[in-house]
Amino acid sequence: MRKALVFGVFGLVAGLLGAASPARAQADISLPYPALTIFFRTANLEPLSQSQFVLNLAAQSSVKQPQANVNLFDDFYLINGQWSGSPNNLIVHFNGNLQNLGQRVIPTWVGVAQFSNHAITYDLQAGFQQVKAKYGIPNAQAASVVVYRTLNTGLLVYDYRIPIAGGRCQEYLFTPENGGFQLGMQGGCYMSLAGVGRSRAGHR
């Protein structure tokens, strides 16, 4: 009797999980589940970007709070790659449910190459852990992370912005494909619709 009850409950739970999984995959992709890497890789961004490609894809905290775990980021931006033959680009602010929170046209975004978000495979949190180990900053928190593809190497770069003095951030660049590291520039910590367009696109 007890064994039958246990298996009955197990079967009910398994059935509910199995029924819920497809719905979650289709409708509920809000963070922190799934992880940021999965969200970036699997999200259908075309309706937001009006393009198959992006030039920048960024994540940060909606309350502008640096995090030790980038999977906690819940505020996102993209800069699109191709936009109906226009020389300009579009920056879009969106949330974990792929809801458009605002957008605007910006001048041509140069310095980085187009890429598909589906090409993002290496775990973003693992990359951050490697950056912290490489530079001896085990307690560092990231204000934001930006993914882009360089023009000169054609490789994806994970650009972690870590706060320093004066409300600015130091960029730490990690290239998953070859395990490369590089210090980037110092500058702003967060993306915004108003702020983008007056700074460089990415580290070349």
Side-chain angles (χ1 to χ4, degrees), residues 127-184:
F128 188 38
Q129 294 299 119
Q130 291 202 46
V131 164
K132 292 194 285 187
K134 167 71 174 179
Y135 292 99
I137 47 175
N139 298 319
Q141 296 182 322
S144 59
V145 59
V146 181
V147 180
Y148 58 84
R149 185 186 299 279
T150 66
L151 287 171
N152 58 338
T153 69
L155 301 178
L156 290 180
V157 170
Y158 294 179
D159 181 347
Y160 300 94
R161 282 96 189 273
I162 297 178
I164 54 177
R168 294 166 64 80
C169 277
Q170 172 67 55
E171 296 181 358
Y172 292 85
L173 312 179
F174 173 62
T175 306
E177 191 167 334
N178 62 15
F181 299 89
Q182 186 176 349
L183 280 178

Side-chain angles (χ1 to χ4, degrees), residues 19 59 99 106:
Q99 294 173 318
I106 59 174

